Amino acid sequence: MDDVKISIIGAGSASFSVRLIRDLCLTPNLEGSTVSFMDINKERLDAVYAFCRKYAMEMKIKLNLEKTMDRRKSLKDADFVINTAMVVGYGGYRAGWNIGFKHGYRFGGSYHIMHDEGFWINFHQFKLFESIVNDILDICPDAWYLKVANPVLAGVTWIGRKYPKLKFVGLCHGYRGVFSIANVLGLNAERMTYLVPGVNHFIWLTHFYYNGEDAYPLLDRWIEREAPKYWETIPPSSGLGPKAVDLYKRFGVFPIGDTCTPGGGAWPWWYHIDDETEKRWKEDPKRWWSFVLNPPRRDPVAELIKIAQSSVKATSMYPPQKSGESIIDIIESIACDIPRIFQVNIMNSGKLLPGVPEDFEVEVPALVSKRGIQGIATDGLPKPLIAHILRDRVAPVETELEAYEIGSKELLLGLIMMDPWTRSEEQAVKLLDDILNLPFNREMKKHYK
């Protein structure tokens, strides 16, 4: 196998880049690869590069590490392009959410306001995605584009429609919530099989087996006998909390990952109508998002610089064990032709998830090898959940994408009107105007007329 070149766009994301290098160091088939770190923030870029270089040296793994602030230079000869960049950062989330709070919006509403894929965040992400994709098609058209940055749901849908020749996949680690269930039940994950189809941040455990036997009775027994005691000690908004169990009882399949947590918008709204209701369901999205709403003073970049320049071992801070992310494993499967099945976000071509439009994103299993990424058809979801996908995911995304494509402020207002906390058009107009008047949204305000 020829040496592989991996370009990381937004490499200044310290935790992500370090996890990726650690996984790469633990993948012998990819030793000798070139990794090009690219970011527009020089301080963060230098810190991540220095730390990762030290990490690889301690692991005695040969990697050719490069750094640049020039994206086109990073993309030259790339075989894989990973995008983890977030244009507005947590400060952009916080500014928009505070406006939402001011106008009566709560977590648990729509995906497009009180969530980290708010419409003002997505505007900047769409522009970034388009510029990256155009550069890839110009500079390294045969490269695989691994889209990790949000929005995955709207982003995969939009890219898949607009750039049919692009080789790309969206990735999210939310599906690993099934391993949290295994851990709580005391199951050996290697003897477990599962299927969790849906759309991004809305996936459900439709098949669950342990040693070849249906494992749902084990989960039912845990819910009946042990869950109440477990809930006494867990933090609010848990993926295994009372809300998740109640949704399981309503729909007959268990919500996985960020499906019902604040990481997925805290869907559905009726558990969040007021503080008292949230408390009854052991939900607290504001606390869950406290690292954004009340950011810690700790500077991860400063910590990386300190360790990179000291005698402290980088491997002592990040022990050499796989992160659980599938990114490097997917690269290995494609580059080395090792067929394996992964959970991916791709277009619903071939009706991989019945009931969802074929030109829309779905999260399903896929066979990954030198031949590429081939989605595997599923049995689908219960009809009531498909109805929720169409109302709460497909309809808003279609509205947002059309608004973005034609620059329609009216459609953007319509998107806000879909939120369950919107009580009047006047309320929606005030929210939209305040969002558009944020300093970092000047370009957005010009775009939507």
Side-chain angles (χ1 to χ4, degrees), residues 191-193 208-215:
R191 290 152 60 186
M192 174 184 73
T193 58
F208 184 33
Y209 299 104
Y210 190 67
N211 289 332
E213 300 287 336
D214 183 10

Side-chain angles (χ1 to χ4, degrees), residues 187-241:
L187 306 182
N188 182 343
E190 293 182 358
R191 290 152 60 186
M192 174 184 73
T193 58
Y194 59 89
L195 184 62
V196 282
V199 298
N200 186 238
H201 289 166
F202 199 88
I203 57 176
W204 301 78
L205 184 61
T206 58
H207 297 72
F208 184 33
Y209 299 104
Y210 190 67
N211 289 332
E213 300 287 336
D214 183 10
Y216 256 116
L218 302 177
L219 180 57
D220 293 336
R221 193 175 305 122
W222 176 83
I223 290 171
E224 180 182 353
R225 300 178 181 177
E226 301 179 45
K229 185 176 180 181
Y230 176 79
W231 294 336
E232 292 176 3
T233 58
I234 60 170
S237 300
S238 166
L240 279 170

Side-chain angles (χ1 to χ4, degrees), residues 147-171:
K147 206 185 81 56
V148 180
N150 282 331
V152 173
L153 177 63
V156 168
T157 299
W158 182 59
I159 291 172
R161 292 174 180 176
K162 191 165 184 177
Y163 301 97
K165 293 183 179 180
L166 179 73
K167 297 192 293 187
F168 87 106
V169 64
L171 299 176

Side-chain angles (χ1 to χ4, degrees), residues 47-65:
V48 167
Y49 170 80
F51 184 90
C52 290
R53 188 168 179 270
K54 181 174 182 177
Y55 197 94
M57 290 175 66
E58 288 179 14
M59 291 286 290
K60 295 181 169 55
I61 299 296
K62 180 185 174 184
L63 293 174
N64 179 27
L65 304 185

Side-chain angles (χ1 to χ4, degrees), residues 13-161:
S13 174
S15 58
F16 175 85
S17 293
V18 171
R19 288 198 305 268
L20 188 139
I21 285 296
R22 180 175 57 178
D23 287 352
L24 195 55
C25 287
L26 294 170
T27 308
N29 281 329
L30 295 177
E31 184 169 7
S33 295
T34 295
V35 180
S36 176
F37 296 97
M38 183 273 154
D39 203 284
I40 60 173
N41 186 310
K42 187 176 187 303
E43 181 186 14
R44 299 184 70 89
L45 178 65
D46 289 346
V48 167
Y49 170 80
F51 184 90
C52 290
R53 188 168 179 270
K54 181 174 182 177
Y55 197 94
M57 290 175 66
E58 288 179 14
M59 291 286 290
K60 295 181 169 55
I61 299 296
K62 180 185 174 184
L63 293 174
N64 179 27
L65 304 185
E66 303 173 348
K67 62 176 178 175
T68 180
M69 296 176 68
D70 184 334
R71 188 171 72 206
R72 292 181 66 86
K73 181 178 178 181
S74 180
L75 292 176
K76 190 176 186 307
D77 299 323
D79 300 293
F80 298 91
V81 180
I82 303 170
N83 177 24
T84 181
M86 181 62 65
V87 177
V88 301
Y90 289 157
Y93 298 178
R94 189 163 53 250
W97 290 350
N98 284 333
I99 289 173
F101 293 141
K102 170 187 170 184
H103 291 293
Y105 290 84
R106 299 176 62 90
F107 290 115
S110 75
Y111 206 50
H112 289 79
I113 298 177
M114 304 306 294
H115 183 47
D116 64 339
E117 298 182 25
F119 64 86
W120 69 96
I121 298 166
N122 287 357
F123 169 80
H124 298 282
Q125 292 300 95
F126 292 152
K127 292 187 72 66
L128 174 67
F129 296 165
E130 186 165 25
S131 65
I132 290 174
V133 168
N134 284 328
D135 278 353
I136 290 173
L137 293 175
D138 180 41
I139 299 167
C140 51
D142 291 328
W144 274 93
Y145 176 41
L146 280 58
K147 206 185 81 56
V148 180
N150 282 331
V152 173
L153 177 63
V156 168
T157 299
W158 182 59
I159 291 172
R161 292 174 180 176

